[in-house]
Amino acid sequence: MHQLTTPREDQPLLTAVTSVGDAALAVEVLELRAKNEQLSQALVSRPVIDQARGMVMVLAPCSSERAWDLLVEVSQHCNVKLRDVAAALVATTKGQELPEAIRREWRRALRRLHALERR
């Protein structure tokens, strides 16, 4: 999905609306557009995240919730967006290698998971 306006296009909108005297409306429109863009990105990212989650469930093995937690954990420790970690993991099914930082963090996350299970 595409953003309806670009930031450059928002400025005339803001100017037009505020010239009418309704700055609050202009701010709300811009906030709604930003939220819309975030939701659009989430919809695009969701399938690859769900695929990665399924892969983790099979490979770990673990529950869906734990697979989500592992993906989030790796994302945060690598400082890489969750959708990018998921895409990298799914790309391994097509012969691509995981980037070293993500691979290293996956090993750590899986060791922590297995250590918790042994308790």
Side-chain angles (χ1 to χ4, degrees):
M1 299 196 168
H2 299 289
Q3 187 175 357
L4 294 176
T5 63
T6 63
R8 188 177 296 145
E9 293 170 329
D10 285 339
Q11 188 59 41
L13 171 69
L14 186 59
T15 304
V17 173
T18 55
S19 66
V20 176
D22 201 349
L25 179 60
V27 169
E28 185 177 357
V29 167
L30 294 176
E31 287 173 354
L32 288 171
R33 284 185 178 169
K35 286 181 184 179
N36 187 31
E37 182 60 27
Q38 290 171 348
L39 289 171
S40 294
Q41 183 60 52
L43 285 173
V44 169
S45 301
R46 195 61 191 202
V48 73
I49 292 171
D50 286 344
Q51 282 181 302
R53 193 177 198 178
M55 290 173 68
V56 173
M57 290 169 62
V58 169
L59 296 171
C62 62
S63 69
S64 177
E65 293 79 19
R66 187 62 185 132
W68 174 263
D69 292 342
L70 286 169
L71 285 166
V72 169
E73 185 178 328
V74 170
S75 169
Q76 290 175 342
H77 286 199
C78 291
N79 196 28
V80 175
K81 289 190 180 291
L82 178 65
R83 66 178 175 255
D84 295 335
V85 170
L89 186 59
V90 170
T92 63
T93 65
K94 296 177 181 150
Q96 294 184 23
E97 289 189 24
L98 278 176
E100 179 56 36
I102 294 174
R103 184 178 352 174
R104 185 176 50 249
E105 200 48 53
W106 269 116
R107 279 191 232 118
R108 290 178 183 156
L110 291 172
R111 277 195 297 264
R112 287 188 292 269
L113 173 67
H114 294 304
L116 287 172
E117 291 174 348
R118 282 185 241 139
R119 290 183 186 178

